[in-house]
């Protein structure tokens, strides 16, 4: 019980201004769940909808790696602590794939409706990450070949679906990005050694079915 409460304190610890402490969450992901993370680039302080990276047309402001690059993602607690001690407000970025979860994401409104349909179907879901514009369902790691075969077998796949696999990334709660707050729509159970996530096949099958056969519209963005 002591371990479970410790994990909950770390995930839910707060700064003096009442906002969640990013370093505690980053350490939980890296050292307890063995998810490789790294700090993301901050949003531009002069305009939260702009990114602090050199790309003036960045489409994911404050929600992607820059310096260090994605290959620096680690589960080493000493490195994670050093990063966030020096950059305490940096978004937490997960390097997807390998031994870490991957994700399937779609626009927020159809995602909310799709999750309702998945709940009615009885599909067991793991954690779901939500930003103001997109929600991401975490899934077990998959290869590009596995994903290609899965999508090739389908008559239609909505263009709004995005796949965060090997070599990809995803901002994790409680990050603040140029798009707004990153939060848990479906939070991991507290105290779990590493959150359970479903197979990508089950999620893609169910999401495509929900979007195409239950009248849920998903715009192409």
């Amino acid at each position: 019980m002591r371990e479970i409460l410790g994990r909950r304190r770390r995930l839910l610890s707060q700064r003096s201004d009442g906002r969640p402490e990013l370093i505690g969450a980053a350490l939980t992901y890296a050292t307890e769940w063995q998810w490789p993370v790294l700090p993301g680039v901050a949003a531009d302080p002069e305009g939260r909808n702009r990114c602090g990276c050199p790309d003036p047309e960045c489409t994911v402001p404050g929600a992607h790696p820059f310096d260090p690059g994605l290959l620096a993602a680690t589960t080493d607690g000493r490195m994670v602590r050093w990063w966030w001690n020096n950059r305490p407000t940096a978004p937490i970025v997960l390097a997807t794939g390998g031994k870490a979860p991957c994700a399937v994401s779609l626009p927020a409104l159809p995602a909310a409706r799709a999750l309702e349909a998945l709940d009615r179907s009885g599909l067991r879901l793991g954690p779901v990450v939500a930003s103001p514009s997109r929600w991401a369902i975490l899934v077990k790691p998959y290869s590009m070949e596995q994903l290609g075969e899965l999508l090739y077998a389908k008559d239609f796949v909505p263009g709004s679906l995005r796949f965060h696999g090997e070599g990809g990334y995803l901002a994790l709660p409680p990050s603040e990005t140029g798009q707004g707050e990153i939060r848990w729509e479906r939070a991991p159970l507290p105290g779990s050694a590493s959150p359970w996530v479903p197979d990508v096949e089950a999620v893609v099958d169910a999401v495509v079915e929900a979007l195409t056969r239950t009248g849920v519209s998903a715009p192409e963005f």
Side-chain angles (χ1 to χ4, degrees):
M1 180 65 70
R2 199 167 296 161
E3 281 188 7
I4 292 176
L5 292 177
R7 286 176 182 146
R8 291 190 68 183
R9 280 197 297 270
R10 181 176 288 177
L11 273 173
L12 301 177
S13 59
Q14 293 183 334
R15 305 185 322 210
S16 59
D17 61 4
R19 293 179 60 189
E21 191 175 65
L22 288 158
I23 189 171
L27 284 167
T28 294
Y29 300 142
T31 64
E32 297 185 15
W33 296 355
Q34 292 297 293
W35 292 3
V37 299
L38 74 163
V41 61
D44 188 334
E46 296 183 4
R48 296 280 316 168
N49 62 341
R50 299 198 304 269
C51 191
C53 75
D55 183 359
E57 299 181 358
C58 179
T59 58
V60 283
H64 67 89
F66 176 62
D67 183 16
L70 186 62
L71 292 179
T74 185
T75 59
D76 185 339
R78 294 170 299 177
M79 192 72 243
V80 169
R81 192 178 296 277
W82 185 86
W83 276 333
W84 271 274
N85 278 335
N86 285 278
R87 298 167 60 183
T89 62
I92 303 169
V93 175
L94 168 69
T96 54
K99 295 183 179 180
C102 294
V104 177
S105 71
L106 62 161
L109 180 57
R113 295 174 178 170
L115 256 61
E116 293 175 359
L118 302 189
D119 287 341
R120 289 193 298 269
S121 73
L123 177 69
R124 180 186 177 191
L125 291 175
V128 177
V129 176
S131 74
S133 60
R134 296 187 72 84
W135 291 9
I137 303 171
L138 298 188
V139 298
K140 291 179 182 177
Y142 57 79
S143 66
M144 290 299 101
E145 292 79 8
Q146 179 184 2
L147 180 64
E149 292 176 2
L150 173 63
L151 300 181
Y152 182 76
K154 298 198 169 300
D155 294 330
F156 172 73
V157 176
S160 57
L161 291 184
R162 299 287 183 269
F163 300 92
H164 309 257
E166 185 75 33
Y169 58 86
L170 185 71
L172 293 177
S175 302
E176 284 283 340
T177 73
Q179 298 172 329
E181 177 190 7
I182 307 297
R183 61 179 178 81
W184 292 114
E185 173 60 27
R186 301 281 177 91
L189 294 176
S192 55
S194 183
W196 179 89
V197 292
D199 291 327
V200 66
E201 291 91 347
V203 168
V204 171
D205 287 346
V207 167
V208 170
E209 166 118 5
L211 293 178
T212 58
R213 297 190 182 181
T214 62
V216 178
S217 172
E220 304 290 316
F221 64 87

